[in-house]
Amino acid sequence: MEDFCQLVLAYVMRAPSTVRATPQLPNIFELALASTLLPAGQTVMTALELIEDLLRSVLATNGPTDQPVLQAVVQQYGQKILVTVLQGIAQEYPEDSQDPVTGIVKALCGLAPPETVRQWISVALEGLPGHVIPASSKQETLQMFDRYVQFLGI
């Protein structure tokens, strides 16, 4: 799985339009998300970097032919991505995974309406047991997101 993520990551870096145009983009997201659930820390990190770079590639898209396909992928996988990475960072991801997870959240904020992203965050937080994140901290996290959106003026 790590080799696959590394290969796609290289394509995203060198030929992003090719990756954005492939009909296999949903499968790439599925495999990258599945890779974030593996017990191998380096594989998780590579998969998180791939997801972050794919989402940033979507943000950088100006071509009208790519945009509808990419937006459909984000709509289809946005919640799943956010739930997976937020629950992963709270429970099992390596310590140094904070940067790519933050990048993923920021990219999703640029690709979906703030109220949609807030709902996704809420779903992710509700899925975490109280001993991992207490209810008060869950509410604080949502309030921090609201302040972040307000600060950005989205």
Side-chain angles (χ1 to χ4, degrees):
M1 292 291 264
E2 184 176 353
D3 290 342
F4 170 80
C5 289
Q6 289 284 3
L7 176 68
V8 176
L9 195 54
Y11 272 101
V12 171
M13 298 297 224
R14 290 177 181 83
S17 60
T18 303
V19 177
R20 287 192 304 262
T22 181
Q24 297 303 317
L25 197 56
N27 294 332
I28 291 170
F29 272 106
E30 281 288 340
L31 288 170
L33 277 170
S35 297
T36 68
L37 303 174
L38 295 173
Q42 186 56 44
T43 302
V44 169
M45 291 299 297
T46 303
L48 289 171
E49 289 170 16
L50 173 58
I51 293 168
E52 179 184 16
D53 286 352
L54 281 170
L55 292 173
R56 285 187 178 173
S57 175
V58 172
L59 277 172
T61 300
N62 294 324
T65 56
D66 291 345
Q67 201 63 31
V69 173
L70 298 172
Q71 287 296 331
V73 169
V74 170
Q75 287 176 352
Q76 181 179 355
Y77 290 100
Q79 179 173 336
K80 187 173 184 177
I81 291 168
L82 201 52
V83 168
T84 301
V85 300
L86 289 180
Q87 290 181 355
I89 199 164
Q91 296 186 66
E92 60 205 35
Y93 286 173
E95 282 186 35
D96 53 349
S97 65
Q98 185 173 353
D99 286 343
V101 169
T102 300
I104 290 168
V105 173
K106 284 181 179 179
L108 286 171
C109 286
L111 294 166
E115 56 276 359
T116 301
V117 177
R118 188 183 198 283
Q119 181 184 0
W120 294 343
I121 291 172
S122 181
V123 168
L125 294 173
E126 289 306 314
L128 290 168
H131 72 278
V132 174
I133 296 183
S136 61
S137 294
K138 293 176 183 180
Q139 191 58 37
E140 286 176 31
T141 301
L142 287 172
Q143 289 170 351
M144 284 178 16
F145 175 75
D146 292 338
R147 287 191 300 272
Y148 174 72
V149 167
Q150 192 174 33
F151 173 75
L152 292 179
I154 300 175

